[in-house]
Amino acid sequence: MSLRIYNTLSRALEDFSPLEPGHVRMYVCGMTIYDLCHIGHARMMMAFDVVQRWLRSSGYRVTYVRNITDIDDKIIRRAVERGITIRELTDEMTAAMHQDVGALAIERPTVEPRATEYVPQMLALIGTLEGKGLAYRAGSGDVNYAVRKFPGYGKLSGKSLDELRAGERVAVQDDKQDPLDFVLWKAAKPGEPPEAKWDSPFGTGRPGWHIECSAMSCATLGESFDIHGGGADLQFPHHENEIAQSEGATGRPLARFWMHNGFVRVDNEKMSKSLGNFFTIREVLEQYDAESVRFFIVRTHYRSPLNYSDVHLQDARSSLKRLYTALSLVAPEDIGAIDWADPHAARFKAAMDEDFGTPEAVAVLFDLAGEVNRTRSARTAGLLKALGGCLGLLQGDPGAFLREGVRLDAAEIEARIAARAAAKAAKNFAEADRIRGELLAQGIVLKDSAAGTTWEAAQ
């Protein structure tokens, strides 16, 4: 079975093959870095971390580009509020982002362009659009994109221009020819910091948000590439506008596949800074270990909503403990390259090849854990660990994971000892051994004697 990906552009699952055989080029819209990343940002970066991991596991070379927006109205305001330069703010927030997502084992992209490093490419693209009659200079000094002059506008969102106009909620500026027109170059405003503006053929100013990604993706991946990704909230207008800019300038498709991850929701509302219902990655990691947070995100399909709650995170921790408990029972064998003909591996691959189906792939991990519990097979444990690695999971020390944050009281220990005794009486020795191994991994040593079982904390 070949890899199939849900393409937002066609609204269908399509067989995937890269434009360049063996090499996948992927662009994902990254962070506007004026504050700490929240768990919704983590969900987006995690989704495409899993995508690039699976593509590499499938034998592809991957050039993964995820940009940083380091010039924006919010960034300017925050820097002014804090009395620091824009560069000081964006450097600080970039370092914080790397630290936070690194804790979640989200790998760095191959290329991480900063918007301010690509202003010349943006200006060249705007010049091309103006030369083709797709951009016009407004009386305010802005340069706008003439949406109605691009025939394909609306194909990603699936809406006609009239439908989009009916849904327009932004006040129409007097110097726009159409409410849907968007800014390519923003004229500088009085009082803005000098570092927030550039000289250009269109006057002093700075790029609009949409043109940044068109220029950076083209500069790093070429005029056409394989996958363009981001959160579902970017489908319109950001990604629609990227298509209009890029394809209007080059006459070529920007990306063959468009992928969008679902929202993180709290009380049935999208998690976002504007709604004030967000939790930063750092706040979440103060309460939960990083791998449990990663597992919480990964076990839900990337296109599905992810419901954030303490209950769901605690359940993720408990579920991950079951997998690590199996790995604590026997030292996993280093199996080298995964044999995809193995029945468990084949099921895992079939799940991931169907639009990165992590829920079904995770189910395979639990089946393998159950087999390890029954057989104590080092090779099966090795396969469990190797397949987990495709998702960025199960690469830690099982004992350390199981001990982390564990505060068993005497009653809980005695209850587990009783459960073990019942398993032994029923001649379910595999379960009895599993309970012993689980307790040992948590630092509890059991001692059996004729008088019964006692326990003590490991030294």
Side-chain angles (χ1 to χ4, degrees):
M1 176 179 173
S2 61
L3 173 62
R4 299 204 305 166
I5 299 177
Y6 183 84
N7 190 350
T8 307
L9 187 61
S10 66
R11 291 158 186 78
L13 283 165
E14 297 181 21
D15 290 340
F16 175 79
S17 59
L19 296 170
E20 176 189 337
H23 179 203
V24 178
R25 289 171 293 155
M26 178 171 73
Y27 184 91
V28 174
C29 293
M31 297 297 100
T32 300
I33 45 173
Y34 65 97
D35 207 343
L36 296 174
C37 293
H38 59 60
I39 201 70
H41 298 143
R43 202 281 167 92
M44 179 278 291
M45 288 185 274
M46 189 80 75
F48 293 100
D49 180 66
V50 170
V51 168
Q52 63 90 18
R53 283 175 183 265
W54 183 244
L55 289 170
R56 290 194 171 100
S57 295
S58 301
Y60 291 111
R61 178 167 68 92
V62 180
T63 300
Y64 172 26
V65 180
R66 191 186 69 224
N67 77 292
I68 291 173
T69 296
D70 61 348
I71 184 66
D72 175 87
D73 290 345
K74 293 176 182 177
I75 292 173
I76 295 169
R77 284 197 297 269
R78 184 61 55 85
V80 171
E81 288 170 3
R82 292 186 52 187
I84 59 177
T85 67
I86 291 172
R87 186 71 190 207
E88 286 172 333
L89 173 66
T90 56
D91 282 352
E92 175 189 335
M93 290 298 115
T94 298
M97 177 187 70
H98 288 157
Q99 180 180 345
D100 293 349
V101 302
L104 296 174
I106 295 172
E107 296 178 341
R108 296 272 188 102
T110 317
V111 185
E112 194 173 49
R114 295 175 68 125
T116 54
E117 298 169 351
Y118 288 80
V119 173
Q121 290 89 337
M122 298 171 199
L123 290 170
L125 186 53
I126 295 170
T128 298
L129 292 170
E130 185 181 41
K132 292 190 171 189
L134 293 170
Y136 61 91
R137 305 188 193 201
S140 63
D142 291 351
V143 180
N144 295 325
Y145 188 96
V147 164
R148 290 189 180 271
K149 293 186 178 180
F150 179 69
Y153 196 83
K155 62 183 178 181
L156 186 65
S157 59
K159 297 180 180 179
S160 69
L161 285 171
D162 291 336
E163 287 175 316
L164 291 170
R165 173 130 189 207
E168 179 66 42
R169 292 175 295 175
V170 179
V172 181
Q173 298 177 7
D174 292 337
D175 55 0
K176 281 188 176 183
Q177 295 175 359
D178 187 278
L180 289 174
D181 291 352
F182 57 90
V183 66
L184 300 170
W185 186 258
K186 291 184 175 185
K189 297 178 177 61
E192 290 181 335
E195 59 178 327
K197 44 195 162 187
W198 287 259
D199 292 332
S200 83
F202 315 106
T204 303
R206 66 178 184 275
W209 176 37
H210 310 301
I211 200 68
E212 294 177 358
C213 283
S214 285
M216 286 186 280
S217 63
C218 180
T220 54
L221 295 174
E223 293 179 350
S224 293
F225 47 90
D226 300 297
I227 298 171
H228 194 312
D233 54 333
L234 300 185
Q235 183 177 342
F236 182 85
H238 184 54
H239 288 164
E240 194 80 70
N241 291 349
E242 277 190 69
I243 289 174
Q245 293 164 158
S246 300
E247 298 186 4
T250 68
R252 302 179 61 192
L254 175 58
R256 184 182 166 203
F257 285 83
W258 288 82
M259 297 179 64
H260 295 91
N261 65 274
F263 295 131
V264 176
R265 307 190 73 84
V266 179
D267 295 330
N268 293 318
E269 284 193 301
K270 175 198 167 191
M271 180 183 290
S272 71
K273 290 181 178 177
S274 61
L275 293 174
N277 65 345
F278 68 94
F279 302 89
T280 67
I281 296 172
R282 292 190 177 188
E283 289 171 334
V284 175
L285 291 180
E286 287 174 0
Q287 300 182 61
Y288 302 95
D289 67 278
E291 191 167 357
S292 293
V293 176
R294 183 179 180 93
F295 183 75
F296 161 68
I297 297 173
V298 165
R299 69 179 181 176
T300 297
H301 191 268
Y302 79 92
R303 285 193 287 118
S304 299
L306 179 66
N307 296 311
Y308 179 92
S309 72
D310 287 337
V311 170
H312 289 139
L313 278 161
Q314 290 162 2
D315 178 70
R317 167 78 184 174
S318 297
S319 296
L320 191 56
K321 280 174 64 177
R322 289 168 54 197
L323 299 178
Y324 265 118
T325 297
L327 293 178
S328 73
L329 300 177
V330 58
E333 180 182 324
D334 183 359
I335 63 170
I338 296 171
D339 176 9
W340 295 110
D342 175 275
H344 286 99
R347 283 178 51 215
F348 185 97
K349 186 178 188 304
M352 292 300 290
D353 278 346
E354 188 71 358
D355 196 32
F356 310 98
T358 54
E360 295 82 5
V362 166
V364 174
L365 300 184
F366 281 104
D367 288 347
L368 278 168
E371 188 169 325
V372 173
N373 290 335
R374 292 189 300 273
T375 66
R376 298 299 194 274
S377 166
R379 185 158 187 81
T380 303
L383 180 59
L384 170 59
K385 182 174 181 178
L387 292 177
C390 295
L391 303 177
L393 299 169
L394 303 180
Q395 303 308 292
D397 175 69
F401 178 85
L402 293 169
R403 286 192 298 271
E404 185 177 348
V406 172
R407 297 291 184 271
L408 289 178
D409 59 27
E412 290 173 316
I413 296 169
E414 292 295 344
R416 295 190 191 191
I417 290 173
R420 177 172 174 263
K424 289 173 69 176
K427 299 188 183 303
N428 187 351
F429 299 111
E431 174 64 8
D433 288 346
R434 187 195 67 78
I435 294 172
R436 174 191 279 275
E438 182 182 47
L439 288 171
L440 181 60
Q442 295 173 1
I444 304 301
V445 178
L446 300 186
K447 294 186 176 181
D448 294 319
S449 68
T453 302
T454 58
W455 62 272
E456 63 182 29
Q459 300 299 315

